[in-house]
Amino acid sequence: MLNKVIIIGRLTKDPAVRYLPSGNQITEFSIAYNRRYKVGEDWKEESHFFDVKAYGKLAESLSTRISKGYTVVVEGRLTQDRWTDKEGKSQSKVRIVADAVRIINKPKLDEAPEEEVIPDTYEQGAEEKLWNSQDDEIPF
């Protein structure tokens, strides 16, 4: 069986940081994906929103490097959280657990942004690098 997702989306708000009892960091954020399609002569657009969680070193890196408006490529797997609400009804939510996140576009700011130097290497579970279309191709 295979559980793999790759999605490109824009952060809808700044990431939230939490810590597990073990001290490991979790960074959570939401991304929006917009789909544009044609029905007859009219163009339609629909938006989809996905919650993403990152753990460990990736979470630590992302918490200070991304914010609302950034466009990212998220590679990971789907997970389903299940719980019972206050009325006793079963609830569930599907989320993406990130294995890797690449920044492909920063939001435009009114003022000149500071230059950010990001290492060019990617260690497993650690730092992500900026997407460079000359180095990589979108895998689909």
Side-chain angles (χ1 to χ4, degrees), residues 43-71:
W43 283 98
K44 305 280 184 181
E45 188 169 318
E46 60 187 21
S47 296
H48 300 274
F49 299 89
F50 299 93
D51 291 334
V52 181
K53 283 185 180 182
Y55 295 89
K57 297 222 181 260
L58 179 59
E60 292 171 18
S61 174
L62 290 174
S63 66
T64 59
R65 295 177 123 164
I66 60 174
S67 59
K68 181 179 179 177
Y70 275 59
T71 303

Side-chain angles (χ1 to χ4, degrees), residues 3-5 50-51 76-80 94-97:
N3 182 356
K4 181 102 171 160
V5 62
F50 299 93
D51 291 334
R77 61 185 169 84
L78 296 177
T79 186
Q80 184 177 24
V94 175
R95 300 174 197 267
I96 299 170
V97 175

Side-chain angles (χ1 to χ4, degrees), residues 3 23 27-28 61 70 80 96 104 106 114 130 133 135 139:
N3 182 356
T27 298
E28 297 177 299
S61 174
Y70 275 59
Q80 184 177 24
I96 299 170
I104 59 173
K106 296 180 181 182
E114 291 182 24
L130 288 173
S133 62
D135 294 338

Side-chain angles (χ1 to χ4, degrees), residues 83-132:
W83 69 95
T84 303
D85 66 14
K86 292 178 183 177
E87 287 105 35
K89 293 183 181 180
S90 294
Q91 301 289 328
S92 70
K93 183 170 190 162
V94 175
R95 300 174 197 267
I96 299 170
V97 175
D99 295 325
V101 175
R102 293 180 182 221
I103 300 168
I104 59 173
N105 191 11
K106 296 180 181 182
K108 293 183 176 138
L109 304 173
D110 293 336
E111 56 191 57
E114 291 182 24
E115 184 175 334
E116 182 178 0
V117 178
I118 297 177
D120 200 0
T121 59
Y122 179 83
E123 288 183 18
Q124 184 176 354
E127 308 284 326
E128 80 286 347
K129 67 176 183 175
L130 288 173
W131 186 273
N132 184 341

